[in-house]
Amino acid sequence: MLHWDSKFWRWCAAQSYGAYIFHLLLMIVLQYTTDGIWMGAFGKFMFIGIVTTICSFVLTWLARMIPGAKKVL
């Protein structure tokens, strides 16, 4: 059984709405920047999915440090 009430999961829950907003934009940007790199379809899917998920949570965390942004994000 997993312990879902850890500090990490609470942090993720706090960033989840902003990550939902930023994820698509980051995914499109990363797809265009890696367009010339061949990784295969599944490799690129995994790479872009993992990197954009991590980046969207970190970007939301940074954006929430702006005064007043916590009310929106």
Side-chain angles (χ1 to χ4, degrees), residues 2-69:
L2 295 174
H3 183 63
W4 293 100
D5 194 31
S6 69
K7 189 175 182 178
F8 172 74
W9 292 114
R10 285 191 301 260
W11 180 85
C12 287
Q15 315 314 317
S16 63
Y17 181 67
Y20 172 75
I21 293 171
F22 290 128
H23 191 264
L24 180 62
L25 177 64
L26 290 173
M27 185 177 290
I28 292 170
V29 169
L30 191 60
Q31 282 178 346
Y32 279 115
T33 57
T34 61
D35 195 29
I37 302 170
W38 190 86
M39 292 184 238
F42 184 71
K44 192 172 274 192
F45 168 76
M46 291 302 293
F47 174 75
I48 289 174
I50 291 169
V51 170
T52 56
T53 301
I54 293 169
C55 288
S56 63
F57 276 87
V58 172
L59 181 63
T60 302
W61 175 65
L62 292 172
R64 287 176 50 129
M65 290 184 181
I66 299 170

